Amino acid sequence: MALAGSAHLELVSGVVQLRPEDAMFDAMLRGWRAQQKSRGLRDETVEDRERLIRRFLEFANEYPWKWTSAHVDEWSAHLTGERHLAKSTIRAYQGNVRLFTEFLIDARYGWVPACEEAFGTYPVAICHEWNTISHLCDYEGSPEARPFTRRELQQFLDHADDQVERAVRSKRKGALAACRDATIFKTIYGWGLRRTETSKLDVTDWGRNPKMPQFGRYGMLNVRYGKAKRGQPPRRRNVLSVMDWAVEAVADYVENVRPRFGYPDHPALRLTERGGRVKPSEINARFVAYRDALGLPKELTPHSERHAYVTHLTEDGGIGASSSIRSATSATAPPRSTPTSATTS
């Protein structure tokens, strides 16, 4: 039985192509797309890989049946020396090229005899251990990346609160947005979230935790858009609420501030003034503005709050020990002021 992506399923027989090389390459990509879709990979993953293969074709200026290991060497040097990409990114690119060429040379799909019949040559393996980057360590991020210190975090959250108070005093239109942004940064730290996870939260993602009844409906957070493995759907997880001041900030925002945006039927937790969902890029832009205004190190990013969440709870013995949760929350000082109170008063 023919496999999805096989050459004889994608090539048109009995037709003379005006540009046979381009027709063969397009058929290869269609076959690879079909093969990946049969494995349940997401459309976004398949499309990203296809774009990368087209970029590699443009760089090599040769068709896949003429690719050699030298093309990979030159391309990797270009990505490193001219584009200055991270090693993890280059390794991912190399991995995609490897997957494509392995698909082409797999005898079950029939692309080797098809190319040999049409062009007198055929694709070969071009990615090897000696010309690709190996994954040798668990963490490959910049060594400068680090979590917030407690003092830096307090400074940052206080500054976010100050923007709300200034907007309220000046009676500017941005008071609601400033309050929303202040609560966003408290949520990222309070539950150890990523930007995308935060932007895609809905009001209904909060739930009760029977062991922490004092938090009410905000005792647990259902994160539905966690970081996915390559080609797979987002991973879900439940995060327990452990910081009482963060719960108070979210509850105040949901009950007193969010309704003032005027979109009661919208599911998103974080709304824009025009009724849209706050995007990760917008979270990042506001973070950078606050960080630079305070003169904090540029190595700090929104992800530094997520690192700080884990670091501070670990330092206080709050992870994996329910008896230590209260000491962990008290050790992390709450914001100086509650921004939503200023907005609603």
Side-chain angles (χ1 to χ4, degrees), residues 23-324:
M24 178 67 77
F25 177 65
D26 290 340
M28 287 175 168
L29 287 181
R30 288 197 305 271
W32 195 38
R33 187 185 309 127
Q35 185 255 4
Q36 293 178 92
K37 294 291 291 181
S38 70
R39 294 165 49 206
L41 299 187
R42 295 185 301 167
D43 291 338
E44 296 85 350
T45 300
V46 176
E47 292 166 3
D48 287 345
R49 289 177 173 178
E50 182 174 329
R51 281 193 292 268
L52 178 70
I53 295 302
R54 291 188 181 277
R55 292 202 301 268
F56 183 74
L57 174 79
E58 182 179 354
F59 179 87
N61 199 28
E62 294 284 0
Y63 290 99
W65 48 92
K66 293 184 179 180
W67 287 349
T68 67
S69 298
H71 290 125
V72 176
D73 294 341
E74 295 171 2
W75 184 55
S76 300
H78 167 72
L79 297 178
T80 303
E82 297 183 26
R83 296 190 57 190
H84 307 289
L85 298 183
K87 287 185 177 180
S88 56
T89 302
I90 297 174
R91 186 179 62 250
Y93 287 0
Q94 293 171 342
N96 288 339
V97 173
R98 185 200 299 270
L99 289 173
F100 180 62
T101 54
E102 287 179 347
F103 162 73
L104 295 181
I105 65 178
D106 192 323
R108 295 173 296 177
Y109 296 98
W111 291 103
V112 168
C115 289
E116 191 169 17
E117 179 181 353
F119 309 114
T121 185
Y122 50 87
V124 297
I126 60 175
C127 295
H128 309 278
E129 292 184 0
W130 46 266
N131 70 343
T132 56
I133 298 174
S134 300
H135 193 174
L136 301 178
C137 58
D138 294 331
Y139 179 74
E140 296 180 325
S142 170
E144 295 179 348
R146 63 172 179 81
F148 274 87
T149 65
R150 296 177 192 268
R151 182 177 179 180
E152 289 171 339
L153 183 66
Q154 186 71 64
Q155 231 182 324
F156 185 86
L157 295 180
D158 285 348
H159 181 75
D161 286 347
D162 288 341
Q163 308 316 302
V164 185
E165 296 175 2
R166 289 174 184 171
V168 172
R169 287 196 302 268
S170 62
K171 298 182 180 180
R172 291 190 292 111
K173 185 179 178 181
L176 289 177
C179 177
R180 175 203 63 207
D181 294 339
T183 313
I184 283 176
F185 296 127
K186 294 171 187 177
T187 305
I188 291 176
Y189 173 69
W191 284 266
L193 304 181
R194 301 177 176 89
R195 284 176 300 175
T196 300
E197 296 170 350
T198 305
S199 70
K200 293 188 176 182
L201 288 178
D202 287 347
V203 177
T204 55
D205 289 333
W206 300 96
R208 297 180 180 275
N209 178 5
K211 295 186 178 180
M212 303 293 282
Q214 67 271 28
F215 292 155
R217 58 167 293 197
Y218 303 98
M220 183 180 299
L221 179 60
N222 179 22
V223 180
R224 293 176 293 113
Y225 287 89
K227 187 175 181 179
K229 292 184 178 179
R230 183 171 301 172
Q232 300 302 313
R235 287 185 289 181
R236 304 178 66 139
R237 71 180 189 277
N238 289 327
V239 183
L240 300 179
S241 303
V242 295
M243 301 182 186
D244 48 8
W245 61 266
V247 171
E248 292 171 5
V250 170
D252 193 13
Y253 166 80
V254 172
E255 296 164 11
N256 299 318
V257 178
R258 187 182 177 280
R260 292 175 174 247
F261 282 90
Y263 301 95
D265 297 329
H266 200 294
L269 179 64
R270 318 293 181 185
L271 294 171
T272 65
E273 292 87 340
R274 296 184 179 182
R277 185 185 295 270
V278 174
K279 299 178 181 178
S281 58
E282 295 170 336
I283 296 176
N284 191 73
R286 186 54 59 93
F287 177 92
V288 170
Y290 288 0
R291 180 199 65 193
D292 293 348
L294 291 169
L296 294 174
K298 294 188 180 296
E299 291 78 17
L300 295 175
T301 67
H303 207 72
S304 298
E305 286 195 88
R306 173 174 162 82
H307 289 319
Y309 163 82
V310 176
T311 301
H312 297 169
L313 285 182
T314 302
E315 290 174 349
D316 296 327
I319 291 182
S322 58
S323 61
S324 303

